[in-house]
Amino acid sequence: MRPVWVLLGDSLTQRSFEPSGWGASLVNAYSRSIDVQCRGYSGYNSRWVLGLLPTILPLDRPGPPPQLLILCLGANDACLPDRSSAKQHVPLEEFKANLAAIVQHARRLGVANILVLTPGPVHEPTRLTHALQTRGLALESAERTAAASGAYAAAAAEVARSLSLPSIDLWTGFSQRPGWETELLCDGLHFSSAGQTLVGNWVREAIATHFPTLTPQALPWEGPDHTDIDGEHWEACLASGGGKHP
C-alpha cells in the first residue's frame, strides 16, 4: 500500500488541486510513490476543522498513519469580527490553540512529519471589487485586512516554532514580491496560477530541506520502471518490488 500524505486546510488547500495548484504539483511529482489526499474545506476556520478532525483523521483509522501532514489554516480565522464574514472569525489566541490541538491530534495518530503553511496576504481593494462583482455587495470595508492576515500568519509560524515544526511564511514570501497583489492573487485572497506555482515550489523545497527522505528521488516507485521489465519474465519483475525514480 502506498504511503499517504494529507493536505489539511481551508480553500487555499481545497483549491490546491486546481490546474497548476500546489497540491496538484505534489500529485504529479509523487505520482508513482505517494497518495496525496486533499482535505481542504472552503470557508472553514481552525475551530471548524478541529471539530471535524475526528472524521478527517480518526484515531482508529486502519493502516499506517499519514507519512506527511501539510497544514494551512488562518485565512478565514483572520476575518474581522465586525465585518461581513464575522462568523468565520476566530480570536488569535484561540487560533493558536486550535493549531496546536490539530498538531497534537496528528501526533497522537502517529504522524511524524508535519509542515505548516501560514496564510498569505490579503489585498483589500481587490476584495471589495470581488464582493461587488460576485455577490453584488458594495462593502465599505473588506472583510479581511492585510494587517490581520499578517498577524495570523505570524501566529501560525509561532505555533510551528513552539512545536519544533518547519513552516513556510506565505504572507512574507508573497508580500516581498513586486506586484503580488495581482500577479500572485486572483481575487485578493486566493492564489492565482502564478501564486499556486510559487507555493508548490516552496513546498517541494521545504520537503527537500526538512524531510530529505521524502523527496521524489528518495522514495521507491510502486512497480519497476517499464524499461526494467523483461517481456518474457514480467511476473518475476513485478514481484521483485518497486522501482527507482529515474
Side-chain angles (χ1 to χ4, degrees):
M1 180 180 295
R2 289 189 184 191
V4 169
W5 292 4
V6 176
L7 317 184
L8 178 60
D10 47 42
S11 58
L12 299 183
T13 299
Q14 180 174 319
R15 295 172 68 150
S16 75
F17 270 41
E18 294 177 345
S20 78
W22 64 268
S25 74
L26 290 177
V27 174
N28 180 60
Y30 292 88
S31 61
R32 285 283 294 270
S33 54
I34 299 293
D35 280 338
V36 182
Q37 298 180 351
C38 181
R39 296 296 182 269
Y41 299 85
S42 179
Y44 274 53
N45 55 34
S46 63
R47 181 188 297 158
W48 300 344
V49 169
L50 180 59
L52 196 60
L53 202 55
T55 299
I56 303 170
L57 293 172
L59 293 176
D60 60 351
R61 60 179 278 158
Q67 188 181 64
L68 173 68
L69 173 67
I70 300 179
L71 179 61
C72 182
L73 286 167
N76 297 314
D77 300 68
C79 289
L80 299 183
D82 59 349
R83 298 192 185 177
S84 60
S85 296
K87 74 173 186 179
Q88 293 167 290
H89 171 76
V90 172
L92 193 62
E93 290 304 313
E94 182 190 345
F95 167 67
K96 291 161 64 176
N98 290 342
L99 278 190
I102 292 170
V103 170
Q104 290 165 1
H105 178 97
R107 285 176 166 170
R108 286 180 60 198
L109 183 61
V111 180
N113 305 303
I114 302 174
L115 175 64
V116 175
L117 275 57
T118 78
V122 169
H123 186 235
E124 296 162 46
T126 306
R127 291 306 294 164
L128 293 174
T129 301
H130 179 73
L132 182 62
Q133 292 179 343
T134 61
R135 294 184 290 162
L137 297 178
L139 302 176
E140 294 184 0
S141 302
E143 82 288 6
R144 297 167 171 84
T145 65
S149 65
Y152 281 75
E158 177 187 338
V159 170
R161 285 193 301 272
S162 71
L163 297 173
S164 300
L165 298 175
S167 66
I168 302 175
D169 185 351
L170 300 183
W171 196 94
T172 301
F174 272 39
S175 299
Q176 291 178 340
R177 294 187 173 243
W180 65 267
E181 301 90 340
T182 55
E183 293 297 322
L184 301 181
L185 301 179
C186 63
D187 58 6
L189 172 65
H190 298 101
F191 308 144
S192 66
S193 178
Q196 294 275 17
T197 298
L198 184 60
V199 173
N201 291 339
W202 286 341
V203 168
R204 292 192 300 276
E205 290 171 4
I207 290 172
T209 299
H210 300 289
F211 312 112
T213 61
L214 300 185
T215 63
Q217 294 76 19
L219 293 171
W221 272 13
E222 182 178 65
D225 187 78
H226 72 94
T227 59
D228 296 326
I229 298 176
D230 186 314
E232 295 184 2
H233 305 97
W234 60 270
E235 292 176 312
C237 293
L238 295 182
S240 66
K244 293 183 179 180
H245 191 285

